[in-house]
């Protein structure tokens, strides 16, 4: 853009991401806790379908030759309810952790940026409107907060889910899994081409 001295196309995205992750490093335990909770939420979501089949077959007696076992059905319902409650609580705690992490990272970036701005000469500020600099720092740090608090976590949760469902498919029926996953390379190709 004409108003920027930095060409966004010329920047190395890997270097920018590495530099941003440097701001997360002081808060690595919060980040690790958030990602662990996200993994556990996804895992709880993947376990529930495994409980559905024996609940239907054994608990309700839908399988041939299996009479209904209502005490067993209550146990399966309790397990599924427990997993749902765990997912809700862990998801809320994880969102709270990641929101605080994003706020801390944005604060650290703002502090470092303001410290850098104080070192600049007065001639720099005579060429640039101060209000636009402050607005830019604020809006960019808010975007970084959103990236750290939600986007990265959503990406990893989606990857956990895809890998988990793929593993579950192979455990249940490897032939069906191969047929189901066959179009994925074509989807990746189309995604990168278009």
């Amino acid at each position: 853009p004409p108003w920027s001295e930095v060409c966004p196309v010329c920047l190395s995205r890997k270097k920018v991401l590495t530099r941003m992750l440097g701001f997360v490093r002081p808060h690595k335990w919060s980040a690790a806790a958030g990602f662990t909770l996200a993994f556990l939420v996804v895992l709880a979501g993947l376990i529930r379908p495994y409980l559905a089949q024996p609940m239907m077959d054994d608990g309700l007696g839908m399988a041939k030759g299996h009479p209904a076992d209502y005490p067993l059905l209550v146990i399966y319902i309790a397990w599924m309810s427990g997993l749902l409650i765990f997912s809700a609580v862990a998801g809320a705690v994880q969102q709270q952790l990641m929101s605080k992490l994003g706020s801390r990272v944005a604060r650290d970036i703002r502090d470092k940026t303001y410290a850098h701005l104080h070192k600049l000469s007065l001639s720099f500020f005579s060429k640039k409107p101060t209000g636009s600099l402050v607005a830019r720092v604020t809006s960019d740090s808010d975007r970084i907060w959103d990236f750290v608090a939600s986007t990265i976590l959503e990406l990893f949760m989606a990857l956990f889910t895809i890998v988990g469902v793929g593993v579950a498919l192979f455990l249940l029926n490897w032939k069906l899994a191969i047929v189901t996953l066959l179009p994925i390379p074509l989807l990746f190709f189309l995604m990168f081409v278009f």
Side-chain angles (χ1 to χ4, degrees):
W3 48 266
S4 175
E5 289 124 17
V6 178
C7 171
V9 178
C10 304
L11 289 174
S12 166
R13 290 189 176 136
K14 185 177 178 182
K15 286 182 181 179
V16 170
L17 187 60
T18 304
R19 190 171 180 191
M20 274 183 43
L21 289 176
F23 286 102
V24 177
R25 195 168 290 124
H27 314 287
K28 62 185 171 193
W29 296 113
S30 294
F35 280 105
T36 302
L37 285 172
F39 177 74
L40 291 175
V41 166
V42 170
L43 189 63
L46 292 173
I47 290 173
R48 284 194 310 263
Y50 275 107
L51 294 177
Q53 181 186 5
M55 182 176 79
M56 300 297 267
D57 291 346
D58 302 332
L60 289 175
M62 295 192 129
K64 222 175 200 176
H66 285 276
D69 187 357
Y70 293 112
L72 183 64
L73 178 65
V74 170
I75 292 171
Y76 280 120
I77 290 173
W79 271 101
M80 291 183 84
S81 300
L83 285 171
L84 281 171
I85 291 169
F86 171 78
S87 293
V89 170
V93 170
Q94 168 251 321
Q95 284 181 348
Q96 187 76 11
L97 274 172
M98 294 309 284
S99 181
K100 285 182 181 178
L101 174 67
S103 295
R104 289 181 191 139
V105 168
R107 183 196 62 216
D108 292 347
I109 290 172
R110 281 185 187 142
D111 289 347
K112 190 165 186 169
T113 304
Y114 285 133
H116 178 72
L117 286 174
H118 283 291
K119 293 177 187 174
L120 296 174
S121 66
L122 289 176
S123 64
F124 174 81
F125 291 105
S126 66
K127 295 176 191 170
K128 302 276 185 194
T130 307
S132 68
L133 288 173
V134 172
R136 177 100 188 256
V137 167
T138 305
S139 69
D140 287 353
S141 60
D142 284 343
R143 286 183 190 159
I144 291 170
W145 172 85
D146 184 50
F147 179 72
V148 171
S150 62
T151 307
I152 289 179
L153 195 65
E154 288 171 6
L155 173 73
F156 279 103
M157 285 182 77
L159 289 174
F160 290 153
T161 303
I162 289 170
V163 169
V165 168
V167 168
L169 277 172
F170 277 101
L171 289 175
L172 291 174
N173 187 340
W174 66 271
K175 293 176 187 175
L176 181 63
I178 289 174
V179 171
T180 305
L181 298 175
L182 200 59
I184 287 182
L186 176 65
L187 290 174
F188 275 114
F189 172 74
L190 293 174
M191 186 173 67
F192 286 114
V193 167
F194 296 106

